[in-house]
Amino acid sequence: MSGNGNAAATAEEDTPKMRVIRVGTRKSQLARIPTDSVVATLKALYPGLQFEIIAMSTTGDKILDTALSKIGEKSLFTKELEHALERNEVDLVVHSLKDLPTVLPPGFTIGAVCKRESPYDAVVFHPKFVGKTLETLPEKSVVGTSSLRRAAQLQRNFPHLEFKSIRGNLNTRLRKLDELQEFSAIILAAAGLQRMGWQNREGQILHPEECMYAVGQGALGVEVRAKDQDILDLVGVVHDPETLLRCIAERSFLRHLEGGCSVPVAVHTAIKDGQLYLTGGVWSLNGAETMQDTMQTTIHVPVQHEDGPEDDPQLVGITARNIPRQPQLAAENLGISLATLLLNKGAKNILDVARQLNEAH
């Protein structure tokens, strides 16, 4: 009897343990849903690996009484997660790509950009205004948004409305809308509502001519240690080539403008018939001044593994060794060219004034 027991124990010791990949994420439900989805994809690709999700709170989750643009911290939703990566407590972190600055701290890279969901903004109306649009809301209706980008564009396009900051997670903001009589509507990312299964609350989707979206909105980025080749190879297979190229162009545009969440900058991208189109714009805080333009470049949407690996992989913080280099460079150059065009037309002055006014208030 005891002999069998020892044999069983020895057999167990000899069985190789499954490697555990630790995945960092924010604690909020909105962050957990896409993280779970990325982990499910990786599990299907790597059935021999085990994945453990480690959730934590970030600065942005803790400071709920101040507009994001006032806090002046570029990595509000990423810093604590990056510390965990640095300390080897996690192997990769799943973020909303729009939360990741265009210049990452040394030693980190975005190892995968997953297929984009809707990049657009959605309007959610107070129950008494269901069936309305922003255009048909009564004069001086108050619309809640924590984003300078949204407020600037919408003030310009819907001057009869008033805009007020609203913070909190998605559940909190929806509760504030429904239970308080303060807001007639609030603006949220459509992707967030869709991830939570709350599409029925979408009263209106804002199209680019009404409100262009944030750089990277609707896409997920998987951040890893830049020198961890093993993990880079592991996550690289979930790169979505079209999303990757669009987001390289968008992030390159923002980086070259030196924009961030403290100034109103917005984009729209599309790939059609081998062309990558990038529209970008900057606004004054009240939306009165704006500068926008569109440029395009010829691009071949690549199939993964078409070319060999590259030596110097990072572009605007993203590493995609299994995607051909040429279209990535074309996308980056498109962003730089459009930013340069707007800067030459005077965009820097609009952004500088917006930054100063935002800091002063």
Side-chain angles (χ1 to χ4, degrees):
M1 194 66 185
S2 60
N4 284 348
N6 288 342
T10 309
E12 202 172 295
E13 281 161 22
D14 290 344
T15 305
K17 278 197 174 142
M18 280 177 100
R19 182 180 172 192
V20 178
I21 306 295
R22 298 151 307 162
V23 181
T25 182
R26 286 165 61 195
K27 269 184 179 162
S28 76
Q29 189 185 0
L30 185 57
R32 279 302 302 264
I33 291 168
T35 300
D36 290 346
S37 153
V38 170
V39 167
T41 302
L42 290 171
K43 272 182 176 168
L45 289 165
Y46 304 105
L49 296 177
Q50 198 175 328
F51 292 84
E52 179 190 346
I53 295 175
I54 298 168
M56 55 194 84
S57 292
T58 64
T59 306
D61 295 313
K62 292 168 190 165
I63 304 174
L64 294 175
D65 55 353
T66 309
L68 296 179
S69 59
K70 303 281 188 206
I71 300 169
E73 167 65 65
K74 275 187 178 173
S75 49
L76 278 175
F77 295 109
T78 60
K79 195 161 63 175
E80 285 79 1
L81 294 160
E82 284 172 342
H83 284 167
L85 256 184
E86 196 170 30
R87 294 191 298 261
N88 248 18
E89 291 165 8
V90 296
D91 301 300
L92 57 106
V93 177
V94 180
H95 300 280
S96 285
L97 190 60
K98 71 173 181 177
D99 291 337
L100 281 165
T102 55
V103 179
L104 297 183
F108 300 111
T109 189
I110 299 162
V113 176
C114 307
K115 189 170 175 60
R116 193 176 215 161
E117 294 171 74
S118 170
Y120 301 110
D121 290 316
V123 188
V124 179
F125 292 92
H126 186 282
K128 70 181 176 191
F129 291 120
V130 167
K132 295 269 188 192
T133 63
L134 289 182
E135 201 166 356
T136 59
L137 276 177
E139 190 83 20
K140 297 207 179 307
S141 292
V142 177
V143 176
T145 175
S146 57
S147 156
L148 295 179
R149 168 189 63 80
R150 291 168 181 152
Q153 293 182 80
L154 295 174
Q155 278 178 87
R156 182 181 179 88
N157 292 330
F158 304 98
H160 69 294
L161 301 176
E162 292 179 3
F163 294 86
K164 190 175 172 185
S165 181
I166 184 169
R167 286 291 318 281
N169 62 32
L170 218 52
N171 308 55
T172 305
R173 281 184 271 177
L174 286 169
R175 193 169 63 248
K176 284 180 181 176
L177 171 69
D178 293 342
E179 293 176 8
L180 308 176
Q181 298 305 309
E182 191 177 355
F183 299 102
S184 301
I186 59 175
I187 315 293
L188 300 167
L193 285 168
Q194 288 161 12
R195 283 170 191 155
M196 298 287 276
W198 294 340
Q199 294 94 319
N200 63 321
R201 291 303 306 263
E202 288 176 359
Q204 180 181 2
I205 295 291
L206 295 171
H207 296 292
E209 57 276 12
E210 296 166 310
C211 187
M212 285 198 280
Y213 43 82
V215 165
Q217 186 159 309
L220 298 173
V222 181
E223 190 178 18
V224 301
R225 290 177 290 273
K227 290 187 175 167
D228 196 338
Q229 194 54 53
D230 235 19
I231 299 291
L232 266 169
D233 291 343
L234 183 103
V235 301
V237 295
V238 300
H239 266 305
D240 177 66
E242 184 165 324
T243 303
L244 171 77
L245 296 177
R246 288 171 63 188
C247 289
I248 286 175
E250 293 172 17
R251 286 171 64 82
S252 170
F253 172 71
L254 182 65
R255 180 194 276 191
H256 203 66
L257 280 179
E258 294 181 352
C261 68
S262 61
V263 287
V265 174
V267 293
H268 175 253
T269 49
I271 292 179
K272 193 179 175 189
D273 300 330
Q275 297 286 307
L276 171 59
Y277 296 86
L278 170 65
T279 300
V282 302
W283 286 260
S284 58
L285 286 191
N286 64 2
E289 282 188 275
T290 181
M291 200 165 284
Q292 300 170 46
D293 220 316
T294 302
M295 292 181 86
Q296 68 194 78
T297 188
T298 301
I299 217 143
H300 160 56
V301 178
V303 176
Q304 291 176 321
H305 310 293
E306 195 176 281
D307 289 353
E310 297 291 341
D311 293 330
D312 178 26
Q314 282 212 45
L315 292 178
V316 284
I318 298 170
T319 300
R321 282 198 177 97
N322 56 338
I323 304 288
R325 188 71 166 171
Q326 208 46 50
Q328 291 186 61
L329 291 170
E332 184 190 42
N333 289 334
L334 179 64
I336 293 169
S337 300
L338 183 60
T340 304
L341 178 69
L342 293 191
L343 289 169
N344 289 342
K345 287 181 175 181
K348 189 176 189 309
N349 187 47
I350 295 176
L351 291 173
D352 286 347
V353 172
R355 200 174 274 113
Q356 287 159 11
L357 284 173
N358 182 53
E359 286 165 4
H361 280 75

